[in-house]
Amino acid sequence: MNKLLCECGHENPEGTTLCQKCGSPLSAEEKNKKIADMRYEGSAIRSKTYNKSIIDKIWNFFSSVKVGITLIIINLIAASIGTILPQEFYISVATDAEKEKYYSDVYGWFGEIYYALGLSDLYSSLWFQLLVLMLGVSIIIASIDRGIPLHKSLKNQRVKRHINFMKRQRIIGEGKPTETSEQTLQLVEQSLKKLKYNVRREDNSILAERGRFSRYGAYVNHVGLIVFIIGVMLHLVPGMYVDESMWLREGETRAVPGMDGYFLKNDKFILETYDNVPQGEQIKQGVNVVAKNFQTDVTLYKQKENSVPGQADNLEEVKQYGIQVNHPLKHEGYAFYQMDFRLNEIKTMVFDLTNKETEQSLGQISIDLTNPQEVYTLENGAQVELMGFYPDFSGFKEGVPQTATQTPNNPAFIFKMITPETPEGETSFVAIQQTLEPEGDNMYKMKFANVETRHMSGLTIRYDRTIPILIVGGIIFMIGVAIGSYWNHRRIWVEQLSDGTVRLAAHTNKNWFSMKKDLDALTKHAHLPQYVDQQELENNEHVETEKDGKTL
């Protein structure tokens, strides 16, 4: 590494603009400035010094403030896109086919594109997680690139400073004390301590400092953000985060997704409504009834030890609970929320095998739509074979019946009816208000007789081990905001020369008004010469020049 030798003899790392010992400017650019750049105390920053290897280029790319801000904006835009339409975990469907149909039916072509591009599950998508990861890398590299050199400089501050350093601070003052005093520096020290400064003295020089920790506020913010991002990305780690949904019919027992070894039974679904007379906005919106309570009475079961995964005949009851909105069932960190319901889902359909001409029935078959059988045998020797079952019939494709979902919203069947008169069997396609006989007129038909319905509950299962990490990240971030917002780093350098002249310089990273109040008190107490604000003078001169230009 190349070294920069200052006129004071101190060797500084390449890229340093202010000597770390005396503060004298080292680079030509810095020497041409009237006021020194004190953002990083003139320290050498890696991204501003090296640009040769591929590692340097990657480092410089991610350490750039512009790149960091761009990544933040891209992340915000991407996250905003995810709010245009509801995400998948907010809609009350379970399968991919149902989700695709939901976005297509509800939002048309825009919903189809939205789903096809994966925007419906944005926050779990790989590309969004990569964006978050890039932002995290940018924050880490930018913090190391600037934070470590700054910390070293602040930690090794020198009391005595070069005249070029003193004169190139924004606030400077030089002259004889207004009142002759042999104890000027003692008065300065006394006044600064009264103003809560940490004072260091070396011979005839004083460095007073206050609020140094505020310089670390931004980096504390970064630490909080990094912890928060780690918490977000841990959602992808198995066992850290579960956000699943399940539909559970009354009387049904199913394995809980994301909760190995546990089963849940829907004992009963309860819907209670207010007995009110619609009026006002309720009439305008066409709402006839207002729900008072959605509730699913459930029983949570756990498999016994050494059970085969998915085995449901060896369960131990854990607890019974009535899940209501905002009153989830909680167990071992998991929470079951009542999110949706469906009323009167078809459970069982009953058909009569009937002679079309005589209307004589050969018997009934009852089809459980969740567990249909292949063959139904009647008492008189007749049989009905179930050759095809389409729970949510959506039409024909190339002559073959199709189903949109596995939910029995619009059931359709292909039956083969075998009777003593038709031993070869007759085929019939039966759907709601639709019957087709592909082999010509049949002697028998499947006549709809009855239907049984039941309710379904839509439940969401949540488990999040990352919440403590997110909370810690948020707290650290807010601490950084408080440090950076409510405190500031003030420094005052005072030097008394051998002829009694006092030289003064001051710097703060913000809140110059309070800085000047401290200097006013110091000047008055120690009889120091009046200080000047070089930036203010320069601005006033610029304004006067503009006025003169307009006058001419």
Side-chain angles (χ1 to χ4, degrees):
M1 179 184 294
N2 297 327
K3 296 288 185 181
L4 294 176
L5 184 63
C6 179
E7 59 186 30
C8 70
H10 183 72
E11 287 187 345
N12 297 279
E14 183 181 1
T16 307
T17 58
L18 297 176
C19 175
Q20 298 303 299
K21 182 179 180 182
C22 67
S24 182
L26 297 175
S27 65
E29 182 184 1
E30 192 62 32
K31 288 176 182 176
N32 292 329
K33 290 181 180 176
K34 188 175 182 180
I35 299 175
D37 184 356
M38 297 288 286
R39 274 190 306 169
Y40 306 112
E41 307 293 311
S43 304
I45 297 174
R46 191 184 192 285
S47 60
K48 304 292 183 186
T49 307
Y50 303 101
N51 191 26
K52 294 181 180 177
S53 67
I54 184 67
I55 294 176
D56 295 336
K57 294 184 186 300
I58 294 172
W59 182 278
N60 295 348
F61 175 79
F62 281 108
S63 67
S64 167
V65 174
K66 289 182 181 177
V67 170
I69 292 173
T70 303
L71 286 172
I72 290 173
I73 292 172
I74 292 174
N75 273 273
L76 289 175
I77 291 174
S80 302
I81 291 173
T83 65
I84 295 176
L85 298 182
Q87 290 290 291
E88 290 180 4
F89 49 78
Y90 289 123
I91 63 175
S92 54
V93 292
T95 66
D96 290 341
E98 288 176 326
K99 292 171 184 173
E100 184 177 3
K101 187 173 186 300
Y102 172 86
Y103 283 97
S104 175
D105 291 348
V106 178
Y107 302 107
W109 62 268
F110 183 73
E112 289 182 23
I113 296 174
Y114 197 81
Y115 181 81
L117 294 177
L119 300 174
S120 56
D121 192 21
L122 174 69
Y123 306 116
S124 299
S125 63
L126 181 60
W127 67 270
F128 183 75
Q129 294 294 333
L130 282 175
L131 277 177
V132 175
L133 177 63
M134 289 176 67
L135 177 59
V137 171
S138 176
I139 292 172
I140 292 172
I141 291 181
S143 300
I144 296 173
D145 190 59
R146 295 165 175 78
I148 292 178
L150 176 65
H151 172 70
K152 288 181 177 177
S153 295
L154 294 175
K155 188 179 178 183
N156 300 311
Q157 292 186 81
R158 305 299 176 94
V159 177
K160 288 186 176 180
R161 289 291 184 164
H162 194 275
I163 184 173
N164 285 336
F165 176 83
M166 299 283 279
K167 287 188 174 181
R168 294 172 66 257
Q169 294 302 310
R170 176 172 164 175
I171 288 182
I172 59 172
E174 185 170 347
K176 294 288 182 65
T178 54
E179 292 185 16
T180 304
S181 174
E182 296 179 352
Q183 299 179 335
T184 299
L185 292 182
Q186 284 83 351
L187 290 174
V188 169
E189 191 172 353
Q190 184 184 61
S191 176
L192 289 172
K193 286 182 177 176
K194 193 180 293 182
L195 292 169
K196 310 289 185 191
Y197 280 82
N198 294 317
V199 181
R200 292 164 55 195
R201 181 169 176 177
E202 187 176 323
D203 300 330
N204 59 344
S205 299
I206 287 177
L207 167 60
E209 189 178 19
R210 178 177 168 185
R212 183 197 295 180
F213 69 96
S214 68
R215 298 291 294 275
Y216 299 103
Y219 303 98
V220 175
N221 280 347
H222 290 181
V223 172
L225 281 174
I226 291 166
V227 173
F228 196 88
I229 288 172
I230 289 172
V232 171
M233 299 202 69
L234 282 176
H235 283 190
L236 297 180
V237 177
M240 294 296 292
Y241 180 74
V242 173
D243 187 358
E244 300 283 353
S245 59
M246 66 185 296
W247 283 96
L248 201 59
R249 299 173 174 90
E250 285 179 323
E252 188 178 24
T253 302
R254 290 182 56 193
V256 180
M259 192 177 181
D260 294 340
Y262 283 88
F263 286 74
L264 195 68
K265 181 183 178 183
N266 184 344
D267 297 319
K268 186 178 182 183
F269 175 75
I270 300 170
L271 171 62
E272 297 174 321
T273 59
Y274 289 102
D275 185 17
N276 69 322
V277 178
Q279 54 187 342
E281 288 297 322
Q282 195 174 337
I283 295 176
K284 290 181 182 177
Q285 297 177 18
V287 179
N288 295 321
V289 294
V290 177
K292 182 167 63 176
N293 179 36
F294 308 121
Q295 178 174 330
T296 305
D297 292 338
V298 297
T299 303
L300 182 65
Y301 295 97
K302 183 180 181 180
Q303 284 184 317
K304 292 181 179 178
E305 291 186 4
N306 302 321
S307 296
V308 177
Q311 184 181 2
D313 56 357
N314 190 21
L315 303 176
E316 291 180 339
E317 182 177 323
V318 177
K319 64 168 70 173
Q320 294 183 340
Y321 191 78
I323 303 174
Q324 296 175 302
V325 176
N326 297 328
H327 296 282
L329 163 64
K330 294 184 178 180
H331 181 69
E332 294 185 349
Y334 290 83
F336 296 76
Y337 293 91
Q338 176 73 55
M339 298 297 288
D340 204 350
F341 64 89
R342 289 179 187 169
L343 299 178
N344 302 319
E345 185 202 61
I346 301 173
K347 176 187 176 186
T348 305
M349 294 185 76
V350 181
F351 293 91
D352 270 324
L353 178 58
T354 307
N355 187 301
K356 292 170 62 179
E357 184 176 346
T358 63
E359 291 292 327
Q360 181 183 2
S361 173
L362 297 186
Q364 289 187 337
I365 65 170
S366 178
I367 302 176
D368 183 348
L369 300 188
T370 59
N371 186 27
Q373 299 177 28
E374 294 182 357
V375 179
Y376 296 85
T377 303
L378 304 178
E379 293 181 355
N380 56 10
Q383 281 188 342
V384 177
E385 294 180 13
L386 186 58
M387 301 177 65
F389 171 45
Y390 308 94
D392 195 3
F393 176 61
S394 58
F396 292 93
K397 184 177 181 180
E398 298 179 354
V400 179
Q402 305 292 315
T403 182
T405 68
Q406 293 303 312
T407 304
N409 298 320
N410 183 30
F413 311 87
I414 297 179
F415 294 114
K416 185 174 183 180
M417 301 164 289
I418 303 172
T419 65
E421 294 87 349
T422 57
E424 299 297 324
E426 295 177 321
T427 304
S428 176
F429 173 83
V430 179
I432 296 177
Q433 296 183 341
Q434 185 177 6
T435 299
L436 299 175
E437 296 175 350
E439 297 175 351
D441 279 346
N442 294 335
M443 182 179 291
Y444 286 87
K445 67 178 181 180
M446 298 300 293
K447 183 178 179 182
F448 173 75
N450 197 3
V451 64
E452 293 180 17
T453 62
R454 59 183 172 182
H455 304 323
M456 289 177 67
S457 287
L459 303 175
T460 293
I461 303 96
R462 297 258 170 82
Y463 176 74
D464 195 349
R465 282 184 173 175
T466 67
I467 288 178
I469 299 173
L470 298 176
I471 292 174
V472 170
I475 291 174
I476 293 174
F477 179 82
M478 292 310 298
I479 290 174
V481 170
I483 291 174
S485 302
Y486 295 103
W487 285 276
N488 48 77
H489 184 206
R490 304 177 194 177
R491 278 171 292 175
I492 299 173
W493 295 270
V494 180
E495 181 183 11
Q496 189 168 31
L497 307 180
S498 56
D499 62 353
T501 302
V502 173
R503 184 178 295 149
L504 176 146
H507 177 78
T508 180
N509 59 331
K510 60 175 179 280
N511 198 357
W512 287 89
F513 178 76
S514 294
M515 178 88 250
K516 290 177 181 179
K517 283 180 65 177
D518 289 351
L519 288 170
D520 290 340
L522 173 65
T523 303
K524 183 178 179 181
H525 182 77
H527 314 296
L528 299 181
Q530 185 59 45
Y531 64 86
V532 295
D533 185 337
Q534 297 197 88
Q535 184 171 308
E536 199 172 273
L537 282 178
E538 189 176 1
N539 292 339
N540 291 338
E541 288 173 2
H542 182 67
V543 171
E544 290 297 328
T545 304
E546 283 190 343
K547 285 182 179 177
D548 293 343
K550 288 180 181 177
T551 302
L552 291 174

